Amino acid sequence: VQNTVWASDDVYWEYTVQKGDNLWSFSERHLISPAYAMKLKSFNKILNAYNIKPDMKIKVPLEWGKKVEGQAAVFAVTGKVDVELKNKQQVAATVGLALPSGTRISTGKDAQATLKFADGSRLILNSGTTIVLGSQIYYPTTGASANTINLERGSVNGNIERPPLMKNRYEVKTKTAITAVRGTELDVGVDDVDDTRASVFSGHVDVIAGDKVVELKQGFGSRVGKESTHQT
């Protein structure tokens, strides 16, 4: 499975200029340094950094944005849930427990766990599910996140928030597919190691298997097997 699932446009943040904005004020608030105003000017071929009109669209490479390491936390627990930190330390799955990148969470029979991410999005781990949290990036000035969840077995239900300024970017990875989520309600499951299914209840997601991309809209699903991908 390819490592980069986002289309080329999705490595950028497309910002809609508001009244009173200029590239300097925007860069000071949202970017690594105010000095990026001139890079932004050149990147978008803007003539005057102090004179940008409301409703104008500007593209901002995500790598230029202010970001911090995000951290999920346990929001709710029912039944037996095992948590193993990246250093292999076993800890109790209690409400409020911080879950840094590299944490493995497993739910037992008739158990369930709900995780809450820095942007407010929630992920439910159903009975018999194991995930490993990958990278967690949070953009504090926009309230958006870019997170990776590695699904080893079982199924998850996600309610991914839609911040008004910047899209959230979530990836649910299995052995056979990557489900790329911008902001939606969805279900992703692994029926066996070579069979991934995804369903969308609101919004849309992209399911990527090798070099094939299937866009799922509200009310649709897909199944990815070792040899094929199809939409339902």
Side-chain angles (χ1 to χ4, degrees):
V1 175
Q2 64 196 69
N3 293 322
T4 303
V5 304
W6 305 109
S8 58
D9 285 349
D10 284 316
V11 300
Y12 305 112
W13 168 26
E14 187 173 76
Y15 175 74
T16 302
V17 174
Q18 306 296 307
K19 185 177 180 180
D21 280 343
N22 61 61
L23 293 188
W24 293 100
S25 63
F26 174 85
S27 298
E28 183 174 22
R29 180 181 180 190
H30 294 295
L31 303 188
I32 295 169
S33 165
Y36 274 71
M38 299 312 293
K39 290 186 176 184
L40 205 56
K41 176 177 178 291
S42 176
F43 187 79
N44 286 274
K45 297 179 173 58
I46 294 171
L47 296 178
N48 187 336
Y50 290 98
N51 184 20
I52 51 177
K53 299 183 183 300
D55 296 324
M56 175 183 174
K57 305 287 187 183
I58 58 174
K59 282 190 173 183
V60 186
L62 292 180
E63 62 184 20
W64 294 359
K66 290 180 181 177
K67 51 188 173 289
V68 297
E69 185 175 352
Q71 193 161 255
V74 176
F75 184 77
V77 178
T78 302
K80 186 178 186 299
V81 177
D82 297 322
V83 176
E84 181 183 276
L85 302 180
K86 189 175 181 179
N87 62 4
K88 304 302 181 183
Q89 178 185 2
Q90 303 284 336
V91 295
T94 55
V95 173
L97 174 69
L99 303 170
S101 297
T103 300
R104 181 186 300 273
I105 307 106
S106 298
T107 57
K109 183 180 179 181
D110 299 323
Q112 190 177 79
T114 302
L115 313 186
K116 187 175 182 179
F117 293 85
D119 62 279
S121 296
R122 298 181 189 181
L123 189 74
I124 297 174
L125 280 62
N126 297 311
S127 174
T129 294
T130 296
I131 69 166
V132 178
L133 293 174
S135 61
Q136 300 184 68
I137 299 171
Y138 182 59
Y139 299 90
T141 66
T142 66
S145 286
N147 297 319
T148 302
I149 297 100
N150 299 290
L151 176 60
E152 296 184 349
R153 67 184 180 101
S155 65
V156 295
N157 302 104
N159 191 339
I160 308 304
E161 295 290 329
R162 300 181 184 183
L165 284 182
M166 179 192 288
K167 293 178 182 178
N168 273 328
R169 290 165 166 80
Y170 280 72
E171 296 176 359
V172 180
K173 294 185 176 183
T174 67
K175 183 178 179 181
T176 54
I178 299 174
T179 304
V181 187
R182 276 74 169 181
T184 189
E185 294 180 63
L186 78 157
D187 170 87
V188 180
V190 178
D191 293 330
D192 62 50
V193 293
D194 291 322
D195 193 4
T196 301
R197 55 180 167 77
S199 301
V200 180
F201 306 115
S202 69
H204 77 277
V205 302
D206 288 338
V207 178
I208 299 95
D211 58 359
K212 185 173 183 179
V213 179
V214 176
E215 181 182 356
L216 295 184
K217 296 183 179 180
Q218 181 175 331
F220 287 86
S222 74
R223 185 173 293 274
V224 180
K226 189 173 183 180
E227 303 297 335
S228 65
T229 302
H230 65 272
Q231 184 170 336
T232 57

